[in-house]
Amino acid sequence: MSSLLELKDISKVYGSLHALDHVSLTVEKGEWIAIMGPSGSGKSTMMNIIGCLDKPTSGEVIFDGRNISKESNQKMTELHRDKIGLVFQQFHLINYLNAVENVMVAQYYHSMPDEKEAMEALERVGLKDRAKHLPSQLSGGEQQRVCIARALINSPELILADEPTGNLDEANENIVLDIFRQLHREGTSLVVVTHDPEVGEVAQRIVRLDHGKIVSDRLNEHFLNS
């Protein structure tokens, strides 16, 4: 495998708070990583830096061979738009748009909306028959699958998911994890930020943070044997 993303000696400081403290991490292409840790450990800060939503105070971020640490905000926005698909715990769907229109919103910022492509993305997550439903007419699990379809629509190199099952019951959590398994089999790179051990333990590799530092980084034996 070759690396998609490298964090090199990254720190993020807010006043006297070191949210990340000299962290280094490599994400290989096609790898599925879970980033875990207690509240305040630095998970969200790391997610924002990986997702090109924030810049480190010091250190370097290399994305697909390109040093983006000193890029302009405009360049960071373009990279995030073109290369990264985000899945949020809170869904962030537009309540007056139906499912397929919510997926097409991501296309609008990337290129041109294409309803056929958006329908195909919904079909991938098992929601083709719910395409014309508003978010209020969808269950929490269905809304999260719309978010995944929206993240997939521009064929990103990396899917970055923040607590993607945090608002879901067990049945819908399993549906979302099955979608992630399929994406991984297809070669998509996945970074999932979670505090849920059951979600973390299905990943290929588990990185644990505490007080802004990586305290463990291991391959998941269960994953390797499955």
Side-chain angles (χ1 to χ4, degrees):
M1 289 190 291
S2 58
S3 62
L4 174 65
L5 175 78
E6 293 180 77
L7 305 184
K8 295 184 174 183
D9 198 30
I10 292 295
S11 292
K12 184 66 178 181
V13 181
Y14 302 97
S16 61
L17 172 66
H18 285 70
L20 290 177
D21 191 4
H22 298 286
V23 167
S24 295
L25 177 74
T26 299
V27 180
E28 305 291 348
K29 290 182 179 178
E31 196 170 24
W32 180 358
I33 294 180
I35 297 176
M36 305 186 68
S39 178
S41 61
K43 299 191 305 297
S44 295
T45 303
M46 181 180 281
M47 188 203 78
N48 288 337
I49 289 174
I50 290 173
C52 299
L53 301 173
D54 199 2
K55 296 180 182 180
T57 304
S58 62
E60 293 185 341
V61 182
I62 312 296
F63 194 102
D64 206 13
R66 170 181 165 191
N67 188 342
I68 63 171
S69 311
K70 306 300 183 184
E71 296 274 23
S72 67
N73 290 337
Q74 177 63 32
K75 291 289 187 183
M76 294 281 280
T77 298
E78 290 172 1
L79 180 64
H80 160 239
R81 181 193 67 198
D82 295 341
K83 303 288 188 180
I84 300 170
L86 288 176
V87 179
F88 301 97
Q89 178 180 0
Q90 302 296 339
F91 312 141
H92 295 303
L93 298 176
I94 299 172
N95 58 17
Y96 56 83
L97 298 181
N98 63 32
V100 72
E101 289 167 341
N102 266 286
V103 174
M104 290 166 68
V105 166
Q107 291 178 306
Y108 175 80
Y109 290 110
H110 183 268
S111 53
M112 289 290 290
D114 185 321
E115 185 170 348
K116 181 175 180 291
E117 288 184 0
M119 288 294 293
E120 289 171 354
L122 285 175
E123 187 170 15
R124 287 187 72 186
V125 299
L127 284 182
K128 187 175 181 180
D129 62 336
R130 308 288 279 173
K132 300 302 183 181
H133 287 64
L134 295 171
S136 61
Q137 298 170 314
L138 301 172
S139 69
E142 288 169 337
Q143 290 183 63
Q144 188 61 292
R145 283 188 276 161
V146 173
C147 291
I148 295 171
R150 182 180 61 191
L152 293 174
I153 193 63
N154 295 322
S155 301
E157 294 186 34
L158 174 68
I159 294 290
L160 181 58
D162 181 21
E163 300 285 3
T165 62
N167 287 331
L168 305 183
D169 59 26
E170 183 178 358
N172 280 300
E173 176 179 298
N174 288 332
I175 291 170
V176 168
L177 293 179
D178 281 343
I179 293 171
F180 286 172
R181 289 185 182 98
Q182 180 60 37
L183 291 171
H184 178 261
R185 285 192 291 268
E186 294 170 0
T188 302
S189 304
L190 294 158
V191 174
V192 178
V193 177
T194 183
H195 70 277
D196 186 339
E198 293 185 9
V199 176
E201 289 293 338
V202 299
Q204 179 182 10
R205 180 175 152 209
I206 301 169
V207 176
R208 293 188 182 275
L209 289 174
D210 197 9
H211 292 92
K213 293 179 178 289
I214 292 177
V215 295
S216 70
D217 184 347
R218 65 177 176 87
L219 292 175
N220 183 358
E221 292 182 5
H222 176 74
F223 181 94
L224 296 175
N225 295 327
S226 63

